[in-house]
C-alpha cells in the first residue's frame, strides 16, 4: 500500500503538513493561505477581553485554529 504524498505548506497563518490529495483544509490553505481565519480572530479577541487565561482547542485537525491563536496571543 502506497502512502499519500505530503506537502509542507508555509502560509500566512503558519506552517502545516497536509496530504497532497487533501481537497478540504489542505486545498483551502494552498489557495487562500488560511482556513476560517475569522474563528482565530474571535478567539483571540475573547482571550484579550477576558484578560488572558487558558484557551483549549479540542479538535482533531492540523492546527489551523490553535497555531494562529497561539501566535496572536503569545
Amino acid at each position: 500500500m502506497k502512502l499519500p504524498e505530503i506537502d509542507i505548506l508555509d502560509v500566512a497563518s503558519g506552517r502545516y503538513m497536509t496530504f497532497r490529495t487533501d481537497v478540504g483544509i489542505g486545498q483551502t490553505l494552498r489557495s487562500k493561505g488560511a482556513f476560517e481565519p475569522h474563528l482565530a480572530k474571535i478567539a483571540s479577541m475573547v482571550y484579550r477581553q477576558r484578560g488572558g487565561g487558558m484557551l483549549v482547542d479540542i479538535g482533531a485537525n492540523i492546527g489551523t485554529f490553535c497555531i494562529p491563536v497561539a501566535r496572536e496571543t503569545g
Side-chain angles (χ1 to χ4, degrees):
M1 181 172 110
K2 182 180 175 189
L3 295 175
E5 294 182 35
I6 61 166
D7 286 330
I8 304 296
L9 304 175
D10 283 311
V11 296
S13 60
R15 177 182 274 180
Y16 304 95
M17 182 173 62
T18 183
F19 291 120
R20 189 166 291 164
T21 56
D22 182 7
V23 294
I25 292 173
Q27 181 62 36
T28 303
L29 288 172
R30 282 184 201 86
S31 65
K32 297 183 179 179
F35 182 78
E36 297 184 342
H38 62 284
L39 296 179
K41 289 184 190 298
I42 291 168
S44 297
M45 288 174 20
V46 170
Y47 178 83
R48 285 196 185 92
Q49 287 179 350
R50 299 197 73 164
M54 182 185 304
L55 286 171
V56 179
D57 176 15
I58 303 173
N61 224 304
I62 61 173
T64 55
F65 176 78
C66 64
I67 290 172
V69 170
R71 285 181 164 191
E72 185 77 22
T73 61

